[in-house]
Amino acid sequence: MDWIIDLFTKTDSIAHIAFLYAVVIAVGVYLGKLKIGGIALGVTFVLFAGIAAGHFGLTAPLPILTFVQDFGLILFVFMIGMQVGPGFFESFREGGVKLNLMACSMILLNIIVMFACYYIFFDTTDPTSLPMLVGTLYGAVTNTPGLGAANEALAAMFPNGAPDIANGYACAYPLGVVGIIGATILIRYICKVKLNKEEEDLDSKENANTSAKPYLMHLLVSNSYLSGHTILEIHEFMKRDFVFSRILRNNELILPKSSTVLEQGDKVYCVCAEADAEAIIAFVGPKIEVEEFKMQEATKQMISKRILVTKPEINGKTLAKMHFSSVYGVNVTRVTRQGMDLFASSNLALQVGDRIMVVGDETSVNRVASLVGNAIKRLDHPNIATIFIGIMIGIIFGSIPFAIPNIPVPLKLGIAGGPLIIAILIGRFGYKVHLVTYTTTSANLMLREVGLVLFLSSVGIKAGANFVNTVIAGDGILYVLCGFLITVIPILIVGTIARMKFKFNYFTIMGMIAGSYTDPPALAYANSSCSKEAPAVGYSTVYPLTMFLRIFTAQLIILFFCG
């Protein structure tokens, strides 16, 4: 039986360390699925499982715990950056600017409320009070990467032993999850929101906002001006994007190119942005029935086929540079990317993972399929080199010191900020340096979750020994109260302003709040309340910038105020 005792007590053995992490992670994940009042803490419960293990003396050597914690954090934030990178800069367009400004206001208010609690409730001469409140702040806003960034900055500030702020995080986190959802519901009653009316407003806006959707129609060329002009000339004259994918002339089916000359009486199959459809109909001619096209397509063996872009060498090439029409005799009418249909404009850059709709004769379409890959198995194979090249560059970038006057140590982005920024840049611009950044959603989520549970379990195990003393004998109840105030006050202020002043849809506000607090349970609640995608759009609009600022401000607070 000695081997069983060794497995639990021999803390420096590989078997004990692996067994400890396996138990903590498995127990934490399963307990995190339990719902209380319809709310579950999710994978973050791994932190509390780690605290329990540490409290009962189940631990591992500190250097190993620290390495696993830091590596998990790097993997977690890098995969987040890869996920949000493609949409990071686009999130600042149009209404996204206001949403991001409100999210930034919420971050600033979180910090202001934290400092107010610090000066009102705590002994400002105690050097551990403010760091512990920083941990409480990141528990209150349910932001684990921020906790990691603050821990790293503290390690630089206190090389002989930093305060264990994970206890403050653990005190504030559960009520933070509940407080976010509760405050969101309270805004609904403060602003007298009627959910049915909000859904109706979303429907009307959805019908009005059609500019990005591909629109397919068959037209009869009745404008005599078009006769004798090429499709390229018509493009330049109209200043609108459209594709004539097929022309029926005298019962003969033609696959047009930019140099094809139109004739009056031609029947064309047109794909354009939905917002441009009426203008194109008015200029070209009326809609017609599709049956004639189908008959001719059957005799000429014309097909429409969705083709998957899987070859790395296609990554980043625009449709114009691919010369699909002039060289391969086919037309690309639309592109599907991450579940969204995009109009196939000539300057649209293809990315690995895109699905392109190709129209042409069967032989030509199959030739294009070979050109771009169309191999699903290739996508299933992870581009692991890109991930570790990015992590390598991110660590180097995060290690660059920036000297700031009156700060005792140079500012560094660290292992949280550096990889996050590089991942965002690679996710958005990696194709320009021939880096294939495509990762399946499931692969990204798996790597993210692995990194997160390694980080949380390590933090929990390290904090467990002193957790009970902190909560019962120390200021634990005060941390819970401060965390609740940090959570709720900014939501009530910013959420009410977003509704009353800027007139944002309530469901969009719900998503914006969930994204500002990087809180998936709050997003899940918002999605369950709405049949539309407004909460997810609000969440994804502010999430990239919020995640970056949460991590960056964590280090700034520690370096500027905890020295």
Side-chain angles (χ1 to χ4, degrees):
M1 296 296 290
D2 289 345
W3 64 273
I4 295 181
I5 296 173
D6 288 344
L7 190 60
F8 281 89
T9 60
K10 199 172 181 180
T11 59
D12 58 348
S13 74
I14 299 298
H16 167 81
I17 297 168
F19 182 77
L20 174 61
Y21 273 100
V23 170
V24 167
I25 292 170
V27 171
V29 169
Y30 277 113
L31 290 178
K33 294 180 179 180
L34 298 178
K35 292 185 177 181
I36 301 174
I39 300 172
L41 292 184
V43 72
T44 308
F45 209 96
V46 170
L47 173 69
F48 299 97
I51 287 173
H55 174 70
F56 290 107
L58 296 174
T59 186
L62 185 60
I64 292 178
L65 290 174
T66 302
F67 167 75
V68 176
Q69 171 185 317
D70 291 346
F71 179 74
L73 178 65
I74 291 170
L75 193 59
F76 177 54
V77 298
F78 187 84
M79 297 315 296
I80 284 176
M82 289 283 283
Q83 179 198 24
V84 305
F88 183 80
F89 298 98
E90 283 74 8
S91 68
F92 298 103
R93 293 178 179 174
E94 298 178 4
V97 174
K98 288 183 180 177
L99 281 177
N100 275 291
L101 285 174
M102 285 187 286
C104 291
S105 301
M106 212 168 318
I107 294 171
L108 181 61
L109 282 173
N110 289 137
I111 296 171
I112 291 172
V113 174
M114 181 203 73
F115 275 106
C117 291
Y118 172 62
Y119 287 110
I120 293 171
F121 299 118
F122 289 88
D123 179 7
T124 57
T125 62
D126 183 355
T128 64
S129 294
L130 186 55
M132 284 295 289
L133 260 182
V134 173
T136 304
L137 164 66
Y138 283 93
V141 300
T142 69
N143 187 265
T144 308
L147 172 67
N151 263 327
E152 186 192 1
L154 280 170
M157 293 288 293
F158 301 95
N160 296 324
D164 197 347
I165 64 174
N167 289 328
Y169 177 95
C171 288
Y173 189 94
L175 207 55
V177 174
V178 176
I180 294 167
I181 296 174
T184 304
I185 295 171
L186 191 55
I187 290 171
R188 173 183 163 190
Y189 291 101
I190 292 172
C191 300
K192 299 178 181 179
V193 172
K194 294 181 179 179
L195 298 185
N196 290 339
K197 187 176 183 304
E198 298 302 295
E199 291 244 13
E200 290 172 5
D201 289 344
L202 288 176
D203 280 331
S204 60
K205 287 181 181 178
E206 214 171 75
N207 293 332
N209 184 23
T210 58
S211 60
K213 297 179 181 177
Y215 188 78
L216 290 71
M217 55 187 175
H218 297 80
L219 304 176
L220 174 66
V221 179
S222 59
N223 185 350
S224 59
Y225 170 81
L226 301 182
S227 184
H229 288 280
T230 66
I231 294 175
L232 179 60
E233 289 172 339
I234 297 169
H235 259 289
E236 292 173 348
F237 180 81
M238 291 192 68
K239 303 296 182 185
R240 296 177 188 269
D241 266 332
F242 62 85
V243 173
F244 290 161
S245 64
R246 279 155 283 183
I247 297 176
L248 189 62
R249 179 181 296 163
N250 298 325
N251 292 322
E252 179 186 354
L253 195 65
I254 301 170
L255 192 67
K257 302 176 183 178
S258 59
S259 58
T260 300
V261 176
L262 283 186
E263 296 179 6
Q264 193 170 3
D266 284 347
K267 298 170 182 177
V268 298
Y269 185 25
C270 176
V271 182
C272 63
E274 193 168 348
D276 294 334
E278 288 189 17
I280 292 172
I281 292 171
F283 188 72
V284 175
K287 288 185 180 181
I288 57 174
E289 295 298 322
V290 71
E291 293 302 320
E292 292 176 273
F293 276 92
K294 288 184 177 179
M295 292 170 57
Q296 292 297 327
E297 287 170 5
T299 58
K300 285 205 71 173
Q301 294 185 327
M302 298 281 285
I303 62 171
S304 299
K305 185 177 181 180
R306 288 191 180 274
I307 296 174
L308 192 62
V309 178
T310 59
K311 284 191 175 179
E313 53 266 32
I314 304 299
N315 210 36
K317 290 187 176 180
T318 63
L319 289 172
K321 288 183 178 179
M322 293 301 298
H323 303 293
F324 285 122
S325 176
S326 58
V327 176
Y328 299 97
V330 300
N331 281 327
V332 175
T333 59
R334 56 192 182 277
V335 178
T336 303
R337 179 175 298 162
Q338 296 179 354
M340 295 178 61
D341 275 344
L342 306 175
F343 177 66
S345 60
S346 58
N347 61 351
L348 180 66
L350 293 176
Q351 296 182 13
V352 171
D354 286 349
R355 291 182 182 274
I356 58 176
M357 176 64 81
V358 179
V359 179
D361 65 84
E362 189 170 3
T363 301
S364 299
V365 169
N366 289 337
R367 190 163 66 243
V368 170
S370 299
L371 173 72
V372 301
N374 202 35
I376 295 176
K377 286 184 178 180
R378 186 189 289 265
L379 289 187
D380 290 337
H381 187 75
N383 295 294
I384 199 165
T386 299
I387 294 172
F388 282 96
I389 288 172
I391 289 175
M392 176 185 68
I393 298 172
I395 291 172
I396 294 172
F397 183 59
S399 301
I400 299 173
F402 299 95
I404 300 177
N406 301 321
I407 299 297
V409 294
L411 174 66
K412 296 180 182 179
L413 293 174
I415 60 171
L420 177 69
I421 292 175
I422 295 301
I424 289 173
L425 294 175
I426 287 177
R428 179 63 180 84
F429 302 108
Y431 67 86
K432 293 190 174 183
V433 290
H434 305 293
L435 281 177
V436 178
T437 59
Y438 177 83
T439 305
T440 61
T441 302
S442 58
N444 184 294
L445 186 60
M446 171 65 79
L447 289 171
R448 236 169 71 192
E449 294 290 282
V450 167
L452 179 58
V453 295
L454 289 176
F455 172 78
L456 289 173
S457 53
S458 301
V459 169
I461 293 168
K462 289 165 70 174
N466 300 317
F467 182 73
V468 173
N469 289 336
T470 301
V471 174
I472 297 176
D475 296 319
I477 302 302
L478 201 52
Y479 293 139
V480 173
L481 171 63
C482 291
F484 182 74
L485 296 176
I486 292 168
T487 299
V488 171
I489 292 175
I491 293 177
L492 294 179
I493 294 173
V494 176
T496 303
I497 292 173
R499 178 63 182 179
M500 303 296 284
K501 180 174 176 58
F502 295 107
K503 309 298 181 184
F504 274 101
N505 186 278
Y506 175 68
F507 295 119
T508 301
I509 294 172
M510 292 179 79
M512 182 268 292
I513 291 170
S516 300
Y517 281 68
T518 62
D519 187 52
L523 176 62
Y525 173 77
N527 282 334
S528 68
S529 305
C530 179
S531 62
K532 308 295 181 186
E533 295 182 353
V537 171
Y539 183 93
S540 60
T541 299
V542 303
Y543 180 89
L545 180 63
T546 297
M547 180 62 76
F548 170 74
L549 289 178
R550 292 287 186 197
I551 292 172
F552 192 61
T553 54
Q555 299 187 75
L556 289 181
I557 294 169
I558 296 296
L559 294 176
F560 274 87
F561 299 101
C562 297

